[in-house]
Every structure is written in structure tokens, then in C-alpha cells.
């Protein structure tokens, strides 16, 4: 019974994967912005990344019902992965809040 409640390994892995997706897209975007002339394209690509993460999150939550503990573990893994990859702490906090608000 407790294994099911506290078994949040899948949620942690998913949180880490989503953060790495964001990190990879941010890194490629930084390269492009150094060469590009328009920041509007960068904003569109960032919005597309967020939309992709949101779709994957919706699918994940549908197949893996999350309790309070697993949501917290997902958010923690997401935030710490962003911080470990040199994201601004305020941006990591905002992105984690954004992600957790969509875990319905």
C-alpha cells in the first residue's frame, strides 16, 4: 500500500525528462539568438516547447495518476534539473510552478 503511495520514481523520471527537454531547447535557442535577428521567432519556439511539454504532461497524468507526494517529487526533480543546468533560480521556480499547475 505504501509502495504505491510513495513510489514516485516514474514521476521523478518524467520531471527530469521534461526539464532536460526545456534545457536542450533553451541551449539551442541561445545559439540561434546569438545569430538571429528576430526574437519573435525565439518566443514562438519557446511557446511551442511549452505546448509540447504540456501535451506530454497531459498524457503522463492520464496514464499515471499523481498523488500529492508524486506531484511534489515531479516538481522537485524538474526544478533541480533546471538549476543543475544553470537556469536562473527565479526562472526555474516560475517554470516549476507553471508545470505543477498543469498537473490536474
Amino acid at each position: 500500500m505504501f509502495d504505491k503511495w510513495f513510489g514516485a520514481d516514474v514521476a521523478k523520471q518524467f520531471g527530469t525528462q521534461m526539464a532536460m527537454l526545456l534545457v536542450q531547447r533553451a541551449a539551442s535557442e541561445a545559439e540561434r539568438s546569438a545569430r538571429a535577428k528576430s526574437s519573435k521567432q525565439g518566443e514562438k519556439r519557446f511557446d511551442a516547447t511549452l505546448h509540447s511539454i504540456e501535451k506530454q504532461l497531459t498524457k503522463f497524468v492520464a496514464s499515471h495518476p499523481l498523488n500529492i507526494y508524486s506531484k511534489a517529487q515531479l516538481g522537485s526533480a524538474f526544478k533541480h534539473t533546471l538549476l543543475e543546468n544553470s537556469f536562473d533560480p527565479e526562472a526555474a521556480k516560475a517554470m516549476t510552478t507553471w508545470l505543477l499547475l498543469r498537473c490536474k
Side-chain angles (χ1 to χ4, degrees):
M1 179 176 153
F2 288 112
D3 287 342
K4 187 175 181 180
W5 177 260
F6 291 112
D9 292 337
V10 175
K12 286 181 190 178
Q13 287 177 337
F14 182 77
T16 301
Q17 289 172 349
M18 293 302 99
M20 287 309 296
L21 176 65
L22 193 59
V23 166
Q24 291 167 353
R25 297 277 171 93
S28 66
E29 203 51 49
E31 282 181 27
R32 286 183 185 156
S33 67
R35 297 179 303 203
K37 301 169 190 165
S38 173
S39 66
K40 287 186 180 183
Q41 286 180 331
E43 289 175 20
K44 285 182 183 179
R45 283 191 286 270
F46 184 73
D47 288 344
T49 301
L50 293 182
H51 183 67
S52 172
I53 290 172
E54 190 170 8
K55 284 174 64 175
Q56 290 181 45
L57 180 64
T58 302
K59 288 180 186 177
F60 179 79
V61 170
S63 62
H64 299 87
L66 299 175
N67 57 38
I68 286 251
Y69 181 74
S70 57
K71 283 182 190 178
Q73 292 298 308
L74 187 151
S76 180
F78 182 81
K79 183 177 179 180
H80 288 288
T81 302
L82 292 179
L83 292 173
E84 288 170 1
N85 286 280
S86 303
F87 257 67
D88 175 60
E90 288 300 314
K93 181 179 176 182
M95 291 305 305
T96 304
T97 301
W98 174 87
L99 182 79
L100 291 175
L101 287 174
R102 281 150 182 82
C103 286
K104 295 180 182 179

